[in-house]
Amino acid sequence: MASLKQRTSGLVQRKNDRESGGEEDEARRCGEEDEQEQDDKGDSKETRLTLMEEVLLLGLKDQEGYTSFWNDCISSGLRGCMLVELALRGRLTLEACGVRRRSLLSRKVICKSDAPTGDVLLDEALKHIKDTQPPETVQSWIELLSGETWNPLKLHYQLRNVRERLAKNLVEKGVLTTEKQNFLLFDMTTHPLTNNTIKQRLVKKVQESVLEKWVNDPHRMDKRVLSLILLAHSSDVLENAFAPLQDEQYDLGMKRVHTLLELEPEKESAKPNVNELMWAVVAAFTK
């Protein structure tokens, strides 16, 4: 009897030791994840940027404070960024594909949650999508939010002054400043770069994703970084991130970017643990 009690006592002690060790390991893992998350998000809460802000920041001329007058892609690109940002935050998804598996561009955008995001532009877009019945496709929402519709009854969906509002967000976050510039016939508000550290951190993130940290598999890449690369290309600003590189690195980086651009959204979206709406946005820009 005494021997049985000793064995039982020993088992309980070992179990407690294992649980204690497991808790310590879990705490250590959580601590490491928190530290990594802080590294990824930057020095402070104010410097965390949305996909729209990152794409605009890549497109802005540092000293002049405005995007290229010849860039006619960034407007629709920023609307695509909004849809993907809302999907990454768990607010939007695509309707079920069905037994016959309909194409990405034929499936409607569904509101999963109408919880506020804390971003005025995102919340405005989310409200439009939530209140619209029947639902619209990704392609339709990019056009509606951009104001590119022939239907006068749908013009109220247009999000106005998006670039200016995003630039003001970046001013509030200490990334840009505000100035007035005279262009002979008119004055224009510009937003030159004031915090080069944040811009360089963004550029470095894009460069490293296809150079030092290249994994040769889009499904092993961080979803937000992958979205940034594809949407920056759709907005015609990705080239700006690679311009400072040496020729050899530039060629290698662009070669890998083209590898991502040549992926077929329909096939990629059918794989597990993917953001289908992101691939639908990519499909809308490459159709």
Side-chain angles (χ1 to χ4, degrees):
M1 191 68 169
S3 176
L4 178 59
K5 286 182 178 179
Q6 289 174 350
R7 286 200 298 272
T8 304
S9 175
L11 288 171
V12 172
Q13 180 63 40
R14 284 195 294 274
K15 179 182 178 184
N16 290 338
D17 290 344
R18 284 198 302 271
E19 290 178 349
S20 176
E23 290 173 358
E24 290 176 1
D25 290 342
E26 182 65 23
R28 187 161 53 251
R29 281 197 299 272
C30 289
E32 290 171 354
E33 289 172 0
D34 289 343
E35 289 177 5
Q36 181 63 40
E37 186 176 358
Q38 289 300 320
D39 290 342
D40 292 342
K41 290 180 177 177
D43 298 333
S44 67
K45 185 177 180 180
E46 278 62 51
T47 58
R48 298 174 195 171
L49 307 181
T50 63
L51 280 174
M52 305 91 70
E53 291 165 350
E54 289 180 326
V55 167
L56 180 66
L57 190 55
L58 287 175
L60 280 174
K61 300 174 186 289
D62 291 354
Q63 296 181 354
E64 292 87 345
Y66 52 84
T67 56
S68 170
F69 292 126
W70 310 109
N71 188 339
D72 58 356
C73 301
I74 195 169
S75 178
S76 57
L78 290 173
R79 273 65 174 188
C81 288
M82 291 181 195
L83 297 178
V84 176
E85 182 74 37
L86 287 167
L88 290 172
R89 296 190 185 201
R91 302 307 197 277
L92 299 180
T93 188
L94 289 183
E95 64 179 345
C97 60
V99 178
R100 298 181 63 183
R101 190 160 189 88
R102 288 175 298 156
S103 68
L104 291 170
L105 294 181
S106 67
R107 294 160 64 185
K108 312 294 186 183
V109 178
I110 305 298
C111 178
K112 283 175 62 179
S113 168
D114 61 353
T117 64
D119 183 285
V120 176
L121 273 172
L122 289 178
D123 289 342
E124 193 176 332
L126 182 61
K127 186 177 187 304
H128 281 319
I129 294 170
K130 173 180 175 290
D131 294 344
T132 300
Q133 294 298 330
E136 300 278 359
T137 63
V138 163
Q139 180 71 52
S140 294
W141 275 119
I142 292 174
E143 294 172 355
L144 290 172
L145 296 175
S146 302
E148 297 173 359
T149 175
W150 293 100
N151 188 341
L153 299 178
K154 293 187 175 183
L155 286 174
H156 67 282
Y157 288 120
Q158 181 183 6
L159 298 180
R160 300 182 182 279
N161 304 318
V162 167
R163 268 178 274 188
E164 180 63 22
R165 292 163 73 180
L166 288 172
K168 287 182 177 178
N169 287 349
L170 291 169
V171 170
E172 291 175 3
K173 294 179 179 182
V175 183
L176 305 178
T177 187
T178 302
E179 294 180 356
K180 287 278 188 181
Q181 284 197 29
N182 181 271
F183 287 87
L184 296 180
L185 299 177
F186 61 93
D187 289 335
M188 187 175 82
T189 301
T190 61
H191 298 281
L193 185 68
T194 187
N195 190 331
N196 193 51
T197 302
I198 295 175
K199 174 74 175 277
Q200 290 307 311
R201 184 186 299 147
L202 172 62
V203 170
K204 183 180 179 182
K205 177 171 70 172
V206 174
Q207 293 174 352
E208 286 184 343
S209 66
V210 293
L211 293 172
E212 294 91 340
K213 297 182 179 180
W214 175 246
V215 293
N216 200 29
D217 180 359
H219 301 284
R220 290 171 56 203
M221 293 179 69
D222 178 84
K223 288 184 174 65
R224 183 170 286 275
V225 174
L226 176 61
S227 301
L228 173 60
I229 291 173
L230 296 174
L231 291 168
H233 175 267
S234 300
S235 304
D236 197 19
V237 300
L238 184 60
E239 177 82 13
N240 298 342
F242 294 100
L245 293 173
Q246 297 293 327
D247 289 348
E248 186 176 339
Q249 284 187 311
Y250 175 88
D251 291 341
L252 178 59
M254 292 307 297
K255 178 181 178 181
R256 289 171 174 171
V257 166
H258 285 299
T259 299
L260 296 175
L261 297 175
E262 290 169 358
L263 296 171
E264 296 184 29
E266 294 290 348
K267 289 183 178 179
E268 300 305 319
S269 66
K271 296 178 181 178
N273 301 318
V274 299
N275 186 329
E276 289 186 309
L277 195 143
M278 185 271 285
W279 287 110
V281 170
V282 173
F285 286 125
T286 57
K287 69 178 181 61

